[in-house]
Amino acid sequence: MNFLSALALATAIVTALATNVSAQGEDCEVCIKVIEDVRNMMNKSEWSDKSIVEKNLGIYCANGELPPREKKVCYYIDPIKRDIAQPFSTGMPASRVCKRINKSNAEVCAVKFPIKSAQMPKEDISKLRVKQLKKILADRGIECKNCVEKSEFVDRVVSTAHMDGEL
């Protein structure tokens, strides 16, 4: 019995660590946040009314204080509010709503949150793909022209970690 408990605990820890690294590049993460924010600003009884859902999408997107990534998703979903209101009104989870609208408009899920690497240990940064490392450096305004090996990109990301919060 102790062996099974230890095995279950070890599996849970490995899964949690893997989720922490893989959650950095989750599909449709900004779209999911927008849909969940709209859902949270509505009463549960209003979820089934498509016109109210469309109106609340418009109110959320009209907010002038939205962060830039949410504004970008709003730009993409504004013309297709009715297509979003249909699955939204059936109570479909936000992730499935976003995946469904991604079929007709792939830009919706292309918007990603920046990867925050300042608090990540070097071991976790080295688990990222080179494409993600290049994106981190590009977000910081750093070019790595002479970087060839992945380890060089990792070292550059680590050495510029202090620039993470500036942009």
Side-chain angles (χ1 to χ4, degrees):
M1 185 84 171
N2 288 337
F3 174 73
L4 292 176
S5 299
L7 183 63
L9 180 63
T11 304
I13 290 171
V14 168
T15 304
L17 290 174
T19 304
N20 185 24
V21 172
S22 66
Q24 299 280 341
E26 184 179 324
D27 288 341
C28 303
E29 57 191 1
V30 180
C31 176
I32 291 169
K33 182 186 180 304
V34 168
I35 299 296
E36 287 176 350
D37 287 349
V38 170
R39 190 168 274 160
N40 290 336
M41 66 186 257
M42 297 172 60
N43 294 328
K44 193 167 187 167
S45 61
E46 298 174 330
W47 290 2
S48 59
D49 190 344
K50 293 177 201 170
S51 61
I52 293 176
V53 171
E54 288 179 41
K55 183 179 127 195
N56 280 306
L57 276 168
I59 291 170
Y60 177 83
C61 290
N63 182 2
E65 298 177 7
L66 282 178
R69 284 166 180 77
E70 284 85 341
K71 280 183 186 176
K72 193 169 191 176
V73 168
C74 282
Y75 173 79
Y76 292 134
I77 67 173
D78 190 46
I80 56 172
K81 283 187 220 172
R82 183 150 301 170
D83 294 337
I84 296 168
Q86 169 58 36
F88 187 105
S89 65
T90 62
M92 188 179 286
S95 59
R96 296 222 17 231
V97 172
C98 290
K99 288 195 191 311
R100 179 173 283 188
I101 61 176
N102 185 44
K103 291 177 184 174
S104 63
N105 190 352
E107 289 91 6
V108 172
C109 287
V111 181
K112 305 272 187 212
F113 286 118
I115 299 170
K116 297 289 183 189
S117 61
Q119 60 269 39
M120 290 175 66
K122 187 172 180 178
E123 296 80 29
D124 287 347
I125 293 173
S126 65
K127 292 178 185 176
L128 296 174
R129 295 174 180 249
V130 173
K131 182 178 181 179
Q132 292 171 315
L133 296 170
K134 287 180 179 179
K135 173 111 175 65
I136 292 170
L137 292 172
D139 288 345
R140 293 178 183 168
I142 304 293
E143 290 186 26
C144 196
K145 291 182 179 179
N146 297 329
C147 297
V148 178
E149 298 290 325
K150 180 179 179 177
S151 61
E152 294 170 338
F153 284 103
V154 171
D155 291 340
R156 183 64 61 96
V157 167
V158 170
S159 67
T160 60
H162 64 283
M163 301 174 74
D164 209 12
E166 292 180 11
L167 299 176

